[in-house]
Amino acid sequence: MISIVVACVVLPVTALLYGRLGLRRARDARSYRDAVARSAELVLDPYHPAVGRMWHEDETQAAAARLLLDGLATVNRRGNLSLTGAGADPAHLVGHPLPDALLAALRRRTAPASLGNVELRDAGFRAVRDGFRADCRALLPFWPADPPRERGCLGCTGVMLLIGEFAFAMVVVVERLPRGPVEWVAAVATGLALIAQIVWFDEDAKEPDPERRDPLAERLGREGRHPALVELDDRDPQAAARLRVSRMRTRRGRNHGRPRRRHAPTGAGV
């Protein structure tokens, strides 16, 4: 008879524990759906998805591609960027901080320069680029992290009572064999409920996954390459290849490390 009484206590307690766990997960799922909806409505800068990508698809490369497409700069076979007539005119701007900063950096140069050299040595361009990256990172995580959960005195008391209930029920289940089908059903149900409580302890102790992706990060990850890079590949594949060479060059030397040709002085021996 006592096994039936214990079952009448253990089963509702188990249902209450899993009900609490289900409510918490439902709340998390609702918060995630709300964050996904808000991130879908957010108007992103077209250069944001390029932040953090490989160098040949990042925001710097996209800004240089935009200058080439707009006819403000050209790139030669050695990867040197040169301003066109329109690019040298201070009145011409792209209308976005990144390509405009790159255009201003090229205007400060007295000679053509590679994209890698500008990125490495031009402090003005680096400041604008780093500020843009910081603004992009400030959007993440768009889904705020869960605050740390603290049980407090009441929670610790509840855990102690639960452990006591678990121990008492285990003793009752294994103390003697049930008598009759009703007690057998009650004993089996109590045993299964106790196993479920063990599983609940593990599930309840789990913290939110620190590696879970932010909804906005997921949206940025689904975005393809920057439109300027795609358009440049389609319109002028040779210029796109030269632009990649330009990004890899960081030195201004014209001979790629080869010694300069020494001309014989005028009036050398006959």
Side-chain angles (χ1 to χ4, degrees), residues 68-219:
L68 297 182
L69 290 171
D70 290 354
L72 300 176
T74 59
V75 60
N76 63 16
R77 62 181 179 82
R78 300 177 63 184
N80 288 323
L81 290 168
S82 304
L83 291 175
T84 62
D89 185 358
H92 284 84
L93 294 173
V94 178
H96 188 278
L98 278 180
D100 284 343
L102 180 58
L103 185 60
L106 292 175
R107 287 170 179 167
R108 288 191 289 268
R109 296 296 179 110
T110 58
S114 66
L115 181 58
N117 184 269
V118 172
E119 183 184 37
L120 180 65
R121 303 186 183 279
D122 194 283
F125 174 74
R126 288 204 314 273
V128 174
R129 183 204 60 191
D130 293 345
F132 183 81
R133 289 180 175 178
D135 292 341
C136 184
R137 285 192 294 268
L139 295 174
L140 304 173
F142 192 71
W143 184 20
D146 292 337
R149 289 182 290 143
E150 298 181 359
R151 295 189 184 276
C153 294
L154 185 60
C156 292
T157 302
V159 171
M160 295 303 296
L161 291 175
L162 185 60
I163 294 175
E165 172 263 344
F166 183 88
F168 177 75
M170 281 292 297
V171 171
V172 171
V173 170
V174 301
E175 183 181 18
R176 66 181 180 84
L177 289 176
R179 298 176 182 176
V182 177
E183 288 193 6
W184 270 106
V185 171
V188 172
T190 302
L192 293 176
L194 293 176
I195 294 174
Q197 288 184 14
I198 295 175
V199 176
W200 176 88
F201 271 108
D202 182 64
E203 293 294 326
D204 187 66
K206 287 182 179 178
E207 295 293 335
D209 185 5
E211 300 298 327
R212 67 182 180 184
R213 298 197 63 180
D214 184 89
L216 183 57
E218 291 179 346
R219 178 185 170 188

